[in-house]
Amino acid sequence: MSLAGKPLTITVTLLLCLVSLGGCHTPANGDRSTSEPAANAVVPRYGYQIVNIWPHDSNAFTQGLILADGKLLESTGEVGRSSLRSVDLQTGRVLKKVDVPEPYFAEGIALLNGKIYQLTWQQHVGFIYDAQSFDRVGQFNYAGEGWGLTTDGKSLILSDGSNRIRFIDPTDFRVTKTITVLDGQTPIDQLNELEYVQGSIYANVWHDDRIAIIDPQNGHVTAWINLAGLIPQGELQDPEAVLNGIAYDQVNDKLYVTGKLWPRLFEIKIKR
Ligand SMILES: [Ca+2]
């Protein structure tokens, strides 16, 4: 896929340079992340390779996923079934869990400075936990809905189902920046679970088999990872059992994905 896509990208870039007659400012590596996207810019489509398959709780309506200290942290949704849990990666066993009471529908989580921040879908409130004990140590408020959450180590980064992503200061919960996510000129909405990976935001798109790779500076989609076929459709009964959940192990450079109610969790490598 990457072999077929590369010449096309180069061809289109050359054509754009010739048409503009103003010279081309695209770096030699084709990285357009700091420039305005051309209307016809081709965003690369990546494939994947499965490295490992691990068990996952098929009752977990996954809304947030993180890997820290070799363990998964997972947030599960639905009213009455919402939770924050620590999960053993290789067995899928739940090591620790706190339930999130009704009427809350838990959503994305982020780990920052020893605290876990957890969104709720429509209640405009997020919960703060001590990352070791899972004791709840505070809460915060935000406007609109809460879907996905991640962090660049400084800000909380929040999606709300639209094509906007907000950057929130974790000390006072003010919005410091908002980016609008576009693939070329096309808004990409329904942005769901998030993960910050090596300077990019990876985003699930609700009911889509693709993960968008987003430039946090300007919201441009710089690539897509197509995960179609990752899990056999026969293993999923519920129409809401969609791809959702991205966790990055930055120590070992490993990428994990799963879905809501999926019986499996995958370590994958991106095929560029
Ligand atoms: Ca995540």
Side-chain angles (χ1 to χ4, degrees):
M1 205 161 190
S2 58
L3 288 176
K6 198 91 178 178
L8 183 61
T9 307
I10 293 166
T11 306
V12 171
T13 306
L14 284 173
L15 282 172
L16 289 170
C17 295
L18 288 171
V19 167
S20 72
L21 296 175
C24 188
H25 303 290
T26 304
N29 64 3
D31 181 2
R32 305 184 61 89
S33 61
T34 55
S35 60
E36 287 301 310
N40 299 319
V42 175
V43 173
R45 265 66 171 165
Y46 299 148
Y48 67 92
Q49 178 189 343
I50 296 173
V51 179
N52 274 305
I53 305 177
W54 307 115
H56 178 249
D57 179 1
S58 59
N59 289 309
F61 201 77
T62 308
Q63 300 286 41
L65 198 68
I66 297 170
L67 194 122
D69 299 328
K71 296 188 191 71
L72 291 165
L73 294 171
E74 184 168 12
S75 175
T76 67
E78 301 218 276
V79 175
R81 292 170 59 194
S82 288
S83 69
L84 170 68
R85 40 179 86 183
S86 168
V87 178
D88 182 72
L89 171 66
Q90 299 194 357
T91 64
R93 198 162 61 86
V94 177
L95 305 172
K96 188 160 50 179
K97 177 161 92 86
V98 289
D99 292 324
V100 177
E102 297 181 20
Y104 299 106
F105 186 124
E107 290 274 350
I109 47 172
L111 173 64
L112 180 60
N113 298 329
K115 292 176 183 156
I116 298 167
Y117 297 81
Q118 181 182 46
L119 300 177
T120 62
W121 180 23
Q122 294 178 314
Q123 283 85 14
H124 318 294
V125 63
F127 302 120
I128 308 171
Y129 305 84
D130 178 273
Q132 294 303 318
S133 66
F134 279 17
D135 289 341
R136 204 199 284 181
V137 295
Q139 62 183 57
F140 60 103
N141 294 98
Y142 49 90
E145 295 190 353
W147 286 40
L149 197 66
T150 190
T151 179
D152 56 4
K154 215 171 81 180
S155 300
L156 295 170
I157 300 173
L158 177 151
S159 69
D160 58 13
S162 72
N163 76 318
R164 290 178 299 279
I165 291 178
R166 282 175 266 172
F167 289 68
I168 294 173
D169 185 325
T171 60
D172 58 13
F173 302 100
R174 279 186 310 112
V175 176
T176 56
K177 182 172 84 168
T178 300
I179 55 173
T180 54
V181 177
L182 299 170
D183 176 351
Q185 304 298 315
T186 306
I188 304 300
D189 61 11
Q190 311 287 314
L191 296 172
N192 207 356
E193 221 275 313
L194 303 177
E195 187 75 9
Y196 195 82
V197 181
Q198 295 180 341
S200 293
I201 299 170
Y202 285 26
N204 284 119
V205 180
W206 192 48
H207 281 272
D208 197 315
D209 288 329
R210 299 171 305 163
I211 288 173
I213 301 180
I214 299 162
D215 184 334
Q217 301 303 318
N218 53 29
H220 300 165
V221 174
T222 58
W224 290 96
I225 311 168
N226 185 354
L227 294 176
L230 180 60
I231 192 163
Q233 281 304 306
E235 294 200 12
L236 307 175
Q237 312 302 326
D238 191 314
E240 289 304 317
V242 294
L243 180 73
N244 202 43
I246 311 166
Y248 180 61
D249 176 355
Q250 61 179 11
V251 175
N252 300 299
D253 187 28
K254 292 183 174 182
L255 187 64
Y256 300 93
V257 296
T258 191
K260 299 173 182 176
L261 310 173
W262 282 23
R264 298 167 199 270
L265 181 141
F266 299 86
E267 181 194 339
I268 59 166
K269 267 205 187 330
I270 299 171
K271 287 176 71 178
R272 296 173 192 269

